[in-house]
Amino acid sequence: MGRVLAIDLGTKRTGLAVTDPLVIVASPLETIPTHQLLDYLKRYTKIEEVSTIVLGWPKSLDGTDTNMTRPVISLEKKLKKTFPEINVELVDERFTSKMAMQSMINMGSKKKDRKEKAGNLDKISAAIILQTYLDRK
């Protein structure tokens, strides 16, 4: 059984999170420039076994599409084509950014630090998406 990797896709940056090999714990992994995502995943999957990729599914509060819905659908297709042996699943990502910000506040991060560490927000959001997926299983 391989790890589960989560992606919180953004227009500029993308947050990644991953489980431990036993698929018990979700942890933030990395924040990378979005244009480097597929190359990063190709390298990562060569050194780590990944059985599932969980992709944050952006929806508005009322369930309608957002400006990121189409890019996520496009990425889902690319992932399935590039990694046919890896299961790709969509997970509702509503509220993950707010939850990630609250986590940073709870950890004692000052407002100035939160603005400077936007990359942390992305990978924490990915970890929340991943934990949502694990809790559902």
Side-chain angles (χ1 to χ4, degrees):
M1 174 181 244
R3 296 174 187 263
V4 178
L5 185 135
I7 300 173
D8 182 27
L9 185 68
T11 54
K12 295 180 183 177
R13 294 181 315 268
T14 293
L16 302 173
V18 69
T19 63
D20 61 297
L22 297 175
V23 190
I24 298 171
V25 178
S27 301
L29 175 65
E30 189 91 41
T31 298
I32 59 169
T34 297
H35 70 275
Q36 296 175 5
L37 178 61
L38 282 178
D39 289 336
Y40 179 92
L41 292 175
K42 287 175 186 174
R43 288 190 308 274
Y44 187 82
T45 57
K46 283 184 181 175
I47 59 171
E48 295 290 346
E49 184 181 353
V50 175
S51 61
T52 302
I53 295 175
V54 176
L55 190 53
W57 179 245
K59 291 287 184 178
S60 301
L61 292 179
D62 64 4
T64 58
D65 291 348
T66 71
N67 64 325
M68 286 304 296
T69 302
R70 283 184 187 243
V72 166
I73 291 169
S74 176
L75 177 59
E76 178 189 24
K77 290 176 185 176
K78 286 178 190 172
L79 291 172
K80 287 180 175 182
K81 184 176 180 181
T82 306
F83 306 103
E85 70 286 354
I86 297 176
N87 181 38
V88 178
E89 295 192 35
L90 297 172
V91 172
D92 188 339
E93 70 169 28
R94 283 179 277 194
F95 304 113
T96 56
S97 293
K98 285 184 180 185
M99 292 167 67
M101 181 62 75
Q102 190 59 48
S103 293
M104 291 179 75
I105 292 168
N106 291 345
M107 292 186 300
S109 180
K110 293 183 173 37
K111 188 173 185 177
K112 178 184 171 206
D113 294 336
R114 291 192 303 270
K115 286 182 181 178
E116 292 173 6
K117 297 179 182 176
N120 285 339
L121 188 65
D122 298 321
K123 63 185 176 183
I124 292 171
S125 292
I128 292 169
I129 291 166
L130 182 52
Q131 190 61 55
T132 300
Y133 171 81
L134 294 175
D135 290 348
R136 218 178 55 196
K137 290 292 176 185

